[in-house]
Every structure is written in C-alpha cells, then in structure tokens.
Amino acid sequence: MASILPSGFFSHLTTGSLLTTAFGAVSCYASIRCFYHLYLHPASKFPGPRLAAISNVWYAYHWITGKYAMAVEKAFEEYGDVVRVAPNEVAFLTPQAASDIYGAHTKHLEHFTKTDFVEMGKDDQGIAWERDPVKHRNTSKRLSPAFSMKSIKAKEPTMHKYIDLFVKMMKKDGGGEAGVELRIWTDWVAMDISAELAYSREMHQLDEMKSGPFLKAIWGVNFFVTIHQICKKFPLFTPIQFLFVPPSAVISEFQARKLATKELETRIERQGKTEHLDHFETLVPAGAPKPTKEEKKELEVLAAQLLIAGYEPISSQFLCTIMFSLQEPETYKRLVNEIRETFTRYEDITPEALTPLRYLHASLMEALRLTVIGGTGMPRVSPGATVDGNYISKGVYVQYGHFAFTRSTQYFHEPRSYRPERWLPEDHLYWKSAFKSDARESFFPFSQGPRGCPGMALAWHETRLFIAKVLWSFDVEMLPDQNIVFERDFNIHAMWEKPKFWVRFHPVVRDE
Ligand code: HEM
C-alpha cells in the first residue's frame, strides 16, 4: 500500500523530535481532558479536591493507603456537604441524600443501581454484586424466606451451638497468662456460624483452632480486591493487578474454591435431608429438581456471598463491642451488670429474652456506628435524578459518606468516642441529655431500600446472644499496652482490616 507520507519522511525525524511530538500530543490530550473535567463535565459544578476532579489518582491513592473513608471525611470538612471525589463521582453527607440514593425504588427495583465497584468478574453476580435491578429482585425474593422471623427462630440452635463452644473453649484456654487474640477467635466463631447457617457447611475452625482456606483466602485477597477495583478506573494496569495477590493467598484461594464446590455438591446431595434449617433450604428445597450446571454456578456465588455477608460484620460486632467497651471501663461495667442482673442461669439467655436489654442494644448500636460497614461509600449510578436538592445527571456515580456522617459533630455529640448512652431511651438510668440531638433516626447501619441488608434481624439475634453469653460467663480483661484508635488502627480495603486485640477470659464464680 502506498504511503501518504513522502519517502524518507521518518529518516529525517530524530529521536528528539519524535519524543517532542509524542509529548506534545499527550500534553494536548491531557489539557483537553482537564478542561473538560473542570468545566464541562456534569459533575464539574460540585466543589472538591482539584486532583479528584481531573483524575482518579486521588481515588486510587486513598484506597491504597486504606484511609479512603477518612479522606472523604476530610473533603467534606473542607468543601461542604456535597463533594466531587472523582471525575465522575460525587459524595453526599446529609441523611436526606442517603434516603434519596438508597431508598428510591419502584416496586423494589432500585432507581440508583449498583456500580461495578465490587463486581469480581463475568460470572453470575449472586445477590450482593448484581447490578440489574430485575435480576436482583428475583434473587432477593427467592432468598427472602431464609430471613423471616420463623426461619431465624428455627436457626437459633446453630447460633447457641457455636457460642456455647466458644464459651467452653475460653473456660479451658482463655485465662492463661499470655491471653488470647480475640480477632482471630471471633473470626472463627462468626465464620463457623455463618457457614452452617448458609448451607449446613461445617468448617470446624473454632474447635480445631485453625483458620480454614476460605478465611485465609478472603483476607489474603482483601488488598487485591481494592487494586482490582482501582484497575477498573485505570484499565491499562489491569494486566499487572495479579502481582498484588500474595502467593499464599493463591494457594488458599485454590483450596477454598475446590472445597466450596465439594461442599455445595454435598449440600445438594442432602436436599431435603439436612439436620437443621439453613438459608439454602429456600434455594434447593426438598422435592425440587436437581440444579443444572448453570444453576450450580449461581448457587456457588450465592453460597460464598451469604457466607461472607453473614460472617464479616458479625465478627466485627463480636470483637469491637468487647474491644470498645473494655477501652471505656464504665461502659463495660454497665453492660456486664445489665446482663448479669437479668439472668441467673446461662440456659435462660436467648435472643428473645435479650430483646428488652437496652444497654446491650445501645452498646451494639454504638459499635455499629464506629465500625460503619458502609465505609466504602456504597457507590451507585444516577439515573438522572435529584439527590438532596441537587440534580445529578444520568451516569454520574454518587456515594454516601456514611463514615463522615458518623464522625460529624453536626450529627453526633462526641462523635469519635464510644458512648452507648446516646442510644438509650430518655427514661433510662444512664440516659444523658448531651446526646439528645444526635441523629439517631438517620443512622442506617444495615442501609435502606431494596438493597438494604436482608440479614438484619438475624444479625441482632447473633450479636446479642454472643455478647450476652460471653459477658455473663466471664470477666474479660484487656491485656496492657493496647491503645486502639479507630482512625489510626483500622484500614479499609474490600473489608475493614482490624487490629489484633489481646484479652484474658476469667470465668465468673457463682454460688450454686
Ligand atoms: C452486624 C451485621 C451486619 C451489618 C452491619 C450488615 C450491613 C449490610 C449493609 C450495609 C448492606 C448493604 C451493602 C451495599 O448496599 O453495598 C448489606 C447487604 C447484605 N447483607 Fe448484611 N449486614 C450484617 C449482617 C448480615 C448477615 C448476618 C447476613 C446473612 C447472610 C447478611 C446478608 C446480606 C446480604 C445477602 C446483602 C446483600 C443484599 C442485596 O444486595 O440485596 N448481612 N448488609
């Protein structure tokens, strides 16, 4: 094919002039891009860090450091309640914005759909990652019987089984000089419960005192998931993203997948013959035809999502309620007194009997407030709608500053301190008027709308039961020299990374 350039054209260009031309072209492209993002983009009317307006570097940097939620909080402090945090993403702080974004729906089809933020590939997206509202509604409907009160009640023996085992093991091993590292123990007990509740899978991490491949794998890839999420904004880096997976995590991931497939097969084999009710009973009910190969793929994703969703926030609640209470000894004393004054016998401690315990409820709410699960911002795509009075064009991402909201003096008195008293009713002995104006009604730890947490009631059952049974049985002692500060010691990637926490469990001696 004849060239349109004169012959010998390239031979006259020096390396220097080629580089200058390339540099010029790149600069020209970058200037036009910056100009577009700063002045013409639909999000350009919102204030925010300049770097965040013109590139995703601000986003990438803060996610990599593990302090993204804190960086968004600082941006609100500097720029106000609506902040542009990426070229195509706007964050909101007011409770009205949260309700506009997550609450808006027509017949359970959300208006603000999920972004590709957590999506991990092309496979079926289960429930939590599904972006198509119709597909999501169908899955959600199929699963909903698993979270009815009747179903949760039938699953209580599974919760007791593992919590009782935890208490038994702490009686044996928890009081030694060296103490026990509570983060790993709460991981074991919460994941064992979650796996058995999800699809009757027995993990034996608690009784064997050993993390299984699944637990190792999800923490092993926690940082990688963040890198994967960043690469969606920098596709050129996608090929090197796997360098961020530690080799040990690759092995665990391989073992975990193999085991998960085997366990799913076992569960399908036991269709209609499980020892107790689990969430899968609604997905593979007795008498239904065996799932096809395609359906099995979907079930595999659902099993993993139910297992993780039912484990991680529960484990955090177990750990952090004890950790924060011990760091504020007066709150620990009040919590323990309430539990021990209510029950004379361990066997009487049940989720139902625990519902009226106000200080227990308040302590769990306060742990939820400080550990805020929605710290990722839970981004959504605007359909072209108004958020807190601001019109957001179709396709622009929006997120809610859950973390910043919980830390804001605009909404909470002493927002960085652990103060269960803020959740008490006014007629309670420990109620304090200082917290009267706290934005209690606007705090949704389980989110709201069609994508809100279906496991909320189950979570309350589990967390009340664990805290009550443990604190009824033991005086918990925090080992010295541990001053954990949330903002410094917790990091957010796909899941919050929590610090280690050492305690001793001293069995309470009671007169028979
Ligand atoms: C303290 C405990 C818990 C907290 C704070 C919590 C919080 C949340 C939040 C904030 C969401 C929304 C996430 C988003 O929109 O991106 C969510 C979703 C979800 N949670 Fe929970 N959760 C808890 C326990 C549980 C439990 C025990 C289960 C039981 C399996 C569960 C199952 C789910 C599922 C399946 C979803 C996805 C819902 C959907 O996309 O429709 N959660 N949770």
Side-chain angles (χ1 to χ4, degrees), residues 51-107:
L51 181 60
I54 58 172
S55 101
N56 284 303
V57 168
W58 191 91
Y59 175 94
Y61 171 76
H62 291 298
W63 268 112
I64 287 171
T65 60
K67 302 290 180 194
Y68 181 73
M70 292 77 166
V72 174
E73 184 205 350
K74 268 211 189 97
F76 282 124
E77 276 166 18
E78 209 174 327
Y79 300 98
D81 291 354
V82 188
V83 178
R84 188 185 192 186
V85 288
N88 191 41
E89 189 155 345
V90 182
F92 292 86
L93 182 64
T94 66
Q96 181 59 48
S99 144
D100 290 346
I101 296 170
Y102 305 107
H105 67 94
T106 307
K107 295 187 179 160

Side-chain angles (χ1 to χ4, degrees), residues 483-502:
N483 174 29
I484 291 171
V485 178
F486 191 94
E487 272 70 1
R488 187 191 61 206
D489 301 319
F490 284 62
N491 288 318
I492 189 160
H493 287 121
M495 303 179 287
W496 281 104
E497 279 153 13
K498 301 168 283 263
K500 288 189 173 173
F501 186 59
W502 292 85

